[in-house]
Structures are given as structure tokens and as C-alpha cells.
Amino acid sequence: MKPAVALLASACLALAGSVAVRAELLQPGNSRAQVNDAAVLQGLPQNLSDFGFFENQTEQQPGQGVTPYRLNTPLYSDGAEKLRFVYVPGGAAMKAQGEGLLDIPVGGALIKTFAFDQDGGRRLIETRVLLHRADGWLALPYVWNDEQTEARLAIAGARVDVTTPAGEAISYRVPNKNQCKECHGLGGAVTPIGPKARNLSREWLGKMVASAHLDAVPDGSDQLPIWELRQSADLADAARGYLDVNCAHCHQPDATASNSGLDLRWEQKSPDAIGIGKRPVAAGRGAGGHMFDIVPGSPDTSILTYRMASAEPGVAMPELGKSTVDDDGLDIVRRWIAQMIP
């Protein structure tokens, strides 16, 4: 093969891979399943099926008004596969709010199912729902039965034995209803943290506008790198995007870890606020004897990477949502710190 032809073929393959990663599936709208709007708006439904979010719940096939989506850079949860959906009630639409969270109307919902591979198939573990009610957002966890036919409300949370994609046997923790507030708490209120416009593809947002589920494609959308293509992305963008998704819901003003003084949001530009040369405020033994959150050029002496590399309770960060170390995320953040000029 001639060099020019080989280069073109390589480029086409890379493009095809990128398109496959970014592909967003919108249902054709012929689902017969109707969402139970009364269940979304009131009460504590005992079964996931009470909501009617799915035409085929076990296969996770969405019903009318329920649309699957993916994030450019997803939150790490012990390597779990996540199936994400947004429900927009008939006659309503989400509103663009710049690069931040989409404004989902009252009566809408976010649905996220966690699954692991088991015996060559998919094992559904839990489905978390965020319901937008008249008095604010309500987070409820549902745990799947062994038969994979139903998920039951688990107000007190649960423990489930699973094997991660890395082959680690863990006791997977389903958070209780109150623990949901530790990640979703902002200014004392439960708030969605996932569907920010900067972490959603323009293609998907455009389709949501075309289907009248969104008023406009938001300014500042589609900024975070696609995680599967992180090795070819800008290193700082990949690392900052990872920290925004995995850490900033707690490490920002008015959130549950605001006393740390760290602000790891994507839009934060101050080097001190994101931890560069910053002394910890309340890290305790989590500091590991290190002096600064981020030491430019030295990931081995940075508190941020020390805590990311630990699975020990009281040291590990994030504190909730995982029991294992995310080696891929740690690698990106370590390399970002290593290339900083001391």
C-alpha cells in the first residue's frame, strides 16, 4: 500500500472509530410504553416498573419521552457500565443554560442504571432515579432482583457482591437515600450533576432540539474530551474534564466538600483554586504527609493523586461511589501534573 493511501485509510478508520464512540441513539418514537407521570410527581414508588420508564425494563428499552444519552467523560463507578436516560414529559422541553446543566422541567426525570458483565451477559445491579418535583429534586435508589425482572426501592441502600471488569471481587455499595445528597447536594438542595451541556455532544443536543425536547443547542456545549479518545486529546483538557466529572460535584463552593477550599470545576481558571501550590485545609491523614494538593512536576508528592491512588476509607477520593482505584483516571491526572513546570 502506498504511503498516501495508507495514511488516508488510517485516518478513515480513526474517524469511523470516533463516530462510533459518539453515536447517540434516539428511539424512533414508536414506543407504546407510557410513563406514569403521577409516580414521577409524588409518592415513593416501591418498584422501578411503577414509573413506566421502559418498554422493556430488563433490556432497558426506553418508553415514550425517555431518551438515552451518554456523557463525553463519564463518572467512574468501579468500572460499571452505565445506561443513562432523561425523561421529558409531553408538552414540555428542557432549556439551555449555557455550558452548565440542562434545565429539566418539573415532571422530568433522570434515570441511570448500573450494570456489570457476568457469565458473558449483562447483570443489572441498581437503577437510580432523580425526579423533578414541584418542591425540588428527589433521589431514589432501586436494586435489581436476581431474576433481573424488577428493581425494588432500597431506601437504606444495599451491598451487592460483584466482580469488576478488572477482575476485582468487591462488595458494591448502593447508596442509601440520604447518601445521594452527599454528591447531589448543592446549596442545601438536591441537584443533578451529570447532564451538563459541556459534557454532551452537539449531535445529541441537536437531535433533542429537533424532537422538541430542548429549546436550543446550548452555548459552550461539547467541550469535554471523549473519554475513549483521551490519549489523542489535549492532556490538560482530559485531566480537567475528569476532575470536573468525578470530583467537582463535591469540590466547589456551596457543595459538601467546599471546606477543602478546592474548586475542581471545569470553568475554574485560578491555579490556586484547583490546587496548584495550595496547602490542604482539612485533609488530615488523607494528606499522606504531603504538603500541597498539587505539586507541579511531581505527582508522587501531590495530595490529589495520593488520594486518588488509594482505596482505603478515610484516604480514598472520591469518598463515595467507588471501592476501587480508577487506574485510567489516575494516569491522566498524574501525567497532567508531571508535565507542569515546577
Side-chain angles (χ1 to χ4, degrees), residues 60 106 114 164 206 317 324:
Q60 294 283 283
V106 170
F114 296 68
T164 72
M317 282 288 173
T324 58

Side-chain angles (χ1 to χ4, degrees), residues 35-302:
V35 172
N36 180 356
D37 288 314
V40 175
L41 287 167
Q42 60 189 358
L44 297 175
Q46 295 301 298
N47 301 307
L48 181 64
S49 60
D50 294 341
F51 293 105
F53 289 136
F54 299 99
E55 180 163 343
N56 185 319
Q57 189 165 264
T58 301
E59 297 297 327
Q60 294 283 283
Q61 295 176 359
Q64 286 189 24
V66 180
T67 305
Y69 69 98
R70 61 156 286 152
L71 302 177
N72 290 2
T73 297
L75 177 73
Y76 175 78
S77 301
D78 291 320
E81 176 191 4
K82 297 179 185 177
L83 299 98
R84 299 174 174 86
F85 306 88
V86 58
Y87 169 62
V88 181
M94 299 183 291
K95 295 181 180 179
Q97 298 189 117
E99 68 177 80
L101 284 165
L102 300 180
D103 183 8
I104 300 171
V106 170
L110 291 167
I111 307 106
K112 182 165 64 173
T113 295
F114 296 68
F116 287 88
D117 289 339
Q118 180 176 288
D119 300 326
R122 174 193 283 161
R123 179 190 176 194
L124 307 176
I125 304 298
E126 62 161 322
T127 296
R128 302 177 191 175
V129 299
L130 269 175
L131 310 172
H132 196 183
R133 296 181 168 178
D135 58 351
W137 286 90
L138 174 68
L140 297 175
Y142 290 80
V143 177
W144 283 83
N145 60 20
D146 292 338
E147 297 77 22
Q148 300 283 275
T149 57
E150 184 63 275
R152 292 275 297 172
L153 180 63
I155 292 291
R159 286 281 188 174
V160 183
D161 292 334
V162 303
T163 300
T164 72
E168 298 177 81
I170 65 170
S171 177
Y172 176 91
R173 180 167 67 177
V174 177
N176 63 48
K177 181 175 176 291
N178 289 329
Q179 285 174 324
C180 293
K181 299 176 183 177
E182 294 186 34
C183 289
H184 286 276
L186 187 63
V190 173
T191 305
I193 59 177
K196 298 181 177 72
R198 59 172 170 261
N199 202 18
L200 293 164
S201 78
R202 282 185 173 273
E203 177 189 7
W204 184 85
L205 291 164
K207 288 180 178 179
M208 292 300 280
V209 172
S211 64
H213 285 132
L214 177 64
D215 65 343
V217 175
D219 294 334
S221 61
D222 210 356
Q223 296 183 60
L224 272 63
I226 305 168
W227 187 243
E228 294 87 343
L229 303 179
R230 61 190 176 279
Q231 301 300 345
S232 59
D234 178 84
L235 181 58
D237 285 350
R240 289 295 310 279
Y242 180 88
L243 294 173
D244 178 77
V245 170
N246 286 271
C247 309
H249 46 270
C250 291
H251 287 284
Q252 63 170 292
D254 294 326
T256 53
S258 59
N259 64 330
S260 70
L262 274 178
D263 183 358
L264 295 175
R265 292 175 297 170
W266 171 263
E267 63 266 37
Q268 177 56 255
K269 304 303 181 186
S270 167
D272 179 71
I274 64 175
I276 298 175
K278 176 187 169 300
R279 291 183 181 275
V281 175
R285 69 186 185 92
H290 303 310
M291 300 296 293
F292 301 96
D293 292 332
I294 294 177
V295 180
S298 182
D300 289 336
T301 59
S302 296

